[in-house]
Each structure stands twice: as C-alpha cells, then as structure tokens.
Amino acid sequence: MTARAAIPEPYDYLARLNPEQREAVETLDGPLLVLAGAGTGKTRVLTTRFAHLLLTGRAAPGQVLAVTFTNKAAREMRERIAALIGRPVEGLWLGTFHALCARLLRRHAERIGLTPSFTILDTDDQLRLLRQVMEAEKADTKRCPPAHLMAEIQRWKDRGLSPDAVSAEDDRGLADGRARALYAAYQARLKALNAVDFGDLLLHVVDLWRRDGEVLAEAHRRFRWIMVDEYQDTNLVQYLWLRLLAQAHRNICCVGDDDQSIYSWRGAEIENILRFERDFPGAKVVRLERNYRSTAPILAAASALITHNEGRLGKTLRAAAKGAEVGEPVEVHALWDSEEEARLVGARIEALRAEGHALAEIAILVRAGFQTRSFEERLIVLGIPYRIVGGIRFYERQEIRDALAYMRLLVQPADDLAFERIVNVPKRGLGEAALRAMHERARADRVPLSRAAADLARSDLLKGKPRAALVQFLNDLDRWRAMLSREGHAVTVAAMLDESGYTEMWRKDSSPDAPGRLENLRELVRALAEFETLEGFLEHVALVTENDEAAEGDRVNLMTLHAAKGLEFDTVFLPGWEEGLFPNQRALDDGGAKALEEERRLAYVGLTRARRRAIISWAANRRIYNAWQSAIPSRFLDELPEAHLRRATTPLVAQRRFDAASSVFPAVAYGGAGRGRVFEVGAWEVAERPPSSERYAPGDRVFHDKFGYGTVRAVEEDRLDIEFGTGVKRVLDRFVRRA
C-alpha cells in the first residue's frame, strides 16, 4: 500500500481528525446531519468545518451563519476558529439564536413597526408590563397571576404563534378565556414602547421572513452556509427559522445527539432531529461514535441503557481515548435509606481525596433539586468543600427561606425580618400601606412587628379586607404555636405550610420550576424529623448556611442531571435511581412512553459525564413528610449490562442479601422486570461487627450509635425492627446494645 500523501499547508488541521470527523468537515454542500455522541468531539467538528470553509476560499466570513445555544459556546467557537486560521476573524455571524435574531431585527426594525434602537426587556420588566396590561384590561391578577399568563405567552412564542395565530385548541383557558386577547394587548403595548421580549426576537424574524419575500431573499443571498449546534434542543420557532433560512441553498449542517435531548419541558422538540432526513431529502448523515472521554465499561453501560428507547436514530459509542478500553465497572449500590446513601457518597469522596483525587473532578448528579440537601449536610459534617452548579444551595432557595421564616416566627414572635418576609406570602391583601402602618406602630411603641400588627388589628386604623386578613394570620400563628407543643414540630410545620396557603400557591404556579419547589418543601419537612426540636433545627440551619460560601478552589460539584449536560468529571455519583424519583413520577403518570424515553436519555447523559468511574445508588426507604416509605429500584438498573457492573462491593458495607420479592424489597411493579433479583444492601452504621450474643424481645430498649435510643417492635432472627425518634428502622442486632 502506498502511504497517504501529506496534507499541504494550510490544511494540516484535517490530519488531526478521525475519519468520521473529517468526513463531516469536508462535506460542505447540501444538507448534513452529524450525529455526535457524548465525548466524540462535536465542537472540534463545528469549528474545523467553519475554518475549512474560510481557508479553502469557499466562503467569506459573512457568508457563514453558525448558531449555538449559549454565549459561552459561541465564545469558545470564535476562539478556536481564530486559532485554526491563525488570526482573529471579523464579521462572523456566530452566536445564539437570540443574539443573531436581535442583529437581524435591528436591520429591518421599521418593517415591523419598531426603530433600530428598540429595547429588549428582561424577565422582571416583562412581568411588570404584563401586569399593567392585565390591570388595564380589568383581568383578575389573583385568579391568573401574570407569571402564569407569561409562561403561556412564551409557550406560544416558542411554537411560533403570534396572537392572531393562536387557535382555540392552543388556548388552555387561562384568565377566564381571555389569554389570547391579553397576549394581543401585551404585544401592542410592547410595540408602543418600542420594545421586544426574548420570545419576540425569533418570532418577529420568522413572521417577517414569512410575509416579506424581499427580506428573506436578502438573507438567502447573505448566508450561503448554515451550521447549528445542539440541534436536538431546538424548539418549534427555531426549527421554522432554520427551515426558512436554509430553503434556498440547503447547505445546512446540524450537529446534535438525539440521545441527549432532555429539555422538552422548556420547549425542545426531539422530532426536529429525528425528521431531518425527511425535511431535507438526500441529506447525508455522519455518525461520530468514537468517544474520547469515558472508559469502555461506562460506555457499554450507557449504550445498553439507551437502546431501550425506540425514538432514536441509533449509534453505538466506543472508547477511543488511550487506555480507555479497560476501566472500573459501573458500581450499583443498594442502600437501606437516603441517609446511608449520603454517608456512602461522603465516605467515597473522602477516600478519593486521600488518594489525591481533585475534588473539582468529582460530581454528584441528582434527578431533583431537593436531593442535594442530604449531600450538602454530609459534606459539611466531613469538612469537604462543595459548590452548587447551575442552582442555589438548598437552604438559600426562595421557598425554603420562606418556610424557614414561618418556622422562625413560631418559635420567636419578635423576629421582625421573618414576619415581614411572610406576612403577605402568599398574597393576603396586606400591601405596602398595611406594612407601613405596622412599621410606624412598631417604631412608635418600640415593640416587635407582630405585636404592632396585633395592636393594629384591634384598632380602627386598619379596615376592611386587610384587617380581616391580618386577624386571620395572627390567629393562625397562635393556633400553630399551640399545635407545636401538642403535635410536634414536623407535623405542625407540614400543616402550617398547607393551611397558610403556601404550598397551594406553588401548586397553582405554572412555571417549570414550581414542581421542584414543592419537592424542596417536602424535603425540608423530612429534614425536620431528624431533630428533637424546631429550635434545634433552626440553629442547625443557621450554622449550615455559614459554611464558607465565598471560598473558591477545589470543590465537589453538586448539580441536577439537566445542569450537567456538556460537562465531564473523572468521578460521577448518580444517587436516587428509584421508581418515582428516577424515572420521575410525573413522567410515569402523565407523560407516557415519550416522557419515559426522555427520562432514560437523562440517565444516559448522567452516565456519559463520567470519565473514569460512575457510581449509581438507590435507597430502599425514603422519608415522605414524617413517615418512611419503601422504594423499589429504577427500571433503568435492569437495563444495564451485568457484565459491566459491580453491585455494592465496598469494604465499609456489612452486606446482607434480600430478595426483591420480600417484604423489605417488594417485587418490581413495572411488568415484573427484575423479579426475584437479589440485591446487596449495606448497613452503613459502623464497620462490620461479629454476630451479637444478646437476644432481644419486643419491648426491649436499645441504643444505636447513629439513631440513638429506641424500642424493639419485632424480632426476626438477627434482624430487629426498632422504633426510634425518626421512625421504625430494620437493623442487625450486632449494631445495637441494651439501653
């Protein structure tokens, strides 16, 4: 065989590509879909293809339009292109959908009734303007809060629907059936202010191109090549925008991964990538399957999992990094409860740290935000620094701070900051005037706000609905304080959050994060049960929130699986793989097969974040409010290949085997997959101990190093069901001693 001829300058950059990457870079004409699996070098393909168009003279800088989903990705692409061609490039059309559309819109603003200096409103300004519109139209902002209507308007804009295009089927009846009319009034008000919101940027350009052939033709003359990153995450209006722009030259290259489409909740349509070949007949498809990130066992597990999805184009990742053909099996730990899960993760991180493993290369990826609490608290106890990525620390979230203010007011009526925070949350009709009157009375009499409020409620200075609302609120506080001494703090707080209307406020909220806020509140009530008193819990929270917040440096990363997309770490912990948590119960109840497939894609994303080791765990018990409920392992665990797994093999665990069909681990409820399987469950109280010579009977008082004093309720060989202050737990007799 003759050696392949050396590639002459300036094209030597092609030699650094693998055959599939090079094929994608050199396919410049016609529609091209690059199916880029996790860790296969899609950014290299995009930037090299852009540079190749410029260096070969096929295109001038202004003739290529490249779309990314984040400004960070756009900056990275720009820097890489400059490095490839050896100089900065001016005049590039490279950026996010919104940035590119803002640039296009300013060129043609007059055609849609705006001036080129139009303002782009942020979220707060949008809500304030919509509230003004609703009030002017006499719409009830209590029955339909502006935030709910804004979410609906943005949903319409994501689907490319202007007010006159919204049909009766699209209208879900918000605002007493006036949502479409209010949308039209809102758009008219925006135009009068010479302003747009983010949704308008794409919508206006699509509308302009649809009805103005001259403007669309100008765009066709300008942009001869189009490149799109993360195509699987495009929504309907973005899809329409790209179809209109590409219809002339058809030189469109879309890079994406159908197996990583996880954003349907914010409008992404996986069908956009699945139907690419139908939308562009004759399209070429290049699959990037050489993974340069993860080891072979991790990729084998992820690939086996995702093959259970039917709605995919299909590809199989294989390890291509040096030394990646071997590696540690994926670990799967079955644990007794969520507290043991947090201790497992903490102990493993300590061990990795002792071996010199950088904390910044460790991530804990959770399905739901509420899961971070137990891990945050465990890391704090161990003195391991951490950061919350793409989110807020558990005790600093809005709903948690509100709930804590309610609790503080129960134990300390003179807490003015807590009183002021929640006196009108949820809305009780106590506006600024009522609060100002309370402050004036408190300053004049030198008493706390709650005392001033009580005095105002008995006087004639406050009248009508505000007075009635204040009286009700103060009476409720007295009733909850009485309940606290009678029922206990966990039961009282759960009742208080419900009876105050606070949880109902979030149930009625239609924003995407509302369900997560409710889960966080439930987790907060779960945390309460671990403390003897409400005062003790509040003191604990105060100390936790002082945990070295501002420090930088080497830290463990905590985040949701959604926030982890695009990132990678040497070690990844994947806790909470249980039915109802992952896959999420809402997906199981309401979403059908399509929603379940997205949950599976999320699991695939989680596994493929790991370079060297992936550690999955599930807990047989989780606390729901003040009671423990049993859980069963996620169906996704049955879909992982046993040849690449190691189940619960850690020297710190005293292993017991329980059959999945037993009363401890009920049979899997999703069609019987996994029935009769044996799970290894660890007793993570202390290191393994020899069998106990003691014999216990129901009614005996015992002591446990972690759970404290308890009473034996049932005995089965060497297993004891013991009622502790935090509920009934099953433990081995070797881990307790007589009280």
Side-chain angles (χ1 to χ4, degrees), residues 305-306 308-309 331-335 341 367 371 561 574-585 587-588 595-604 607 616-622 630-642 645 647 660 665-675 677-679:
L305 174 70
I306 202 63
H308 288 80
N309 273 7
E331 296 181 32
V332 178
H333 293 270
L335 300 166
E341 186 175 56
R367 174 60 183 89
Q371 291 175 263
L561 286 158
L574 297 162
W577 282 41
E578 300 138 30
E579 287 292 296
L581 179 54
F582 194 31
N584 182 274
Q585 193 62 47
L588 297 176
L596 179 60
E597 291 205 349
E598 180 156 333
E599 290 288 295
R600 189 176 285 109
R601 291 194 293 271
L602 196 55
Y604 172 85
L607 278 168
I616 303 171
S617 58
W618 70 276
N621 298 280
R622 285 195 187 270
S630 61
I632 60 176
S634 168
R635 68 191 68 198
F636 299 151
L637 294 177
D638 277 335
E639 298 169 359
L640 299 176
E642 289 293 333
L645 301 185
R647 292 188 181 270
F665 296 106
V668 179
Y670 44 88
R675 286 185 188 275
R677 242 186 331 145
V678 172
F679 300 105

Side-chain angles (χ1 to χ4, degrees), residues 634-690:
S634 168
R635 68 191 68 198
F636 299 151
L637 294 177
D638 277 335
E639 298 169 359
L640 299 176
E642 289 293 333
H644 297 284
L645 301 185
R646 183 168 65 224
R647 292 188 181 270
T649 52
T650 168
L652 296 177
V653 174
Q655 295 176 349
R656 281 289 304 229
R657 290 183 178 270
F658 294 94
D659 189 89
S662 73
S663 59
V664 179
F665 296 106
V668 179
Y670 44 88
R675 286 185 188 275
R677 242 186 331 145
V678 172
F679 300 105
E680 296 177 343
V681 181
W684 269 70
E685 322 314 341
V686 293
E688 186 170 6
R689 299 176 179 178

Side-chain angles (χ1 to χ4, degrees), residues 376-391:
E376 287 186 62
E377 296 199 354
R378 189 62 189 163
L379 293 174
I380 289 167
V381 167
L382 296 174
I384 297 173
Y386 69 92
R387 64 172 63 87
I388 301 290
V389 178

Side-chain angles (χ1 to χ4, degrees), residues 562-582:
H562 284 99
K565 187 167 176 291
L567 304 178
E568 56 187 77
F569 307 91
D570 282 346
T571 300
V572 169
F573 292 92
L574 297 162
W577 282 41
E578 300 138 30
E579 287 292 296
L581 179 54
F582 194 31

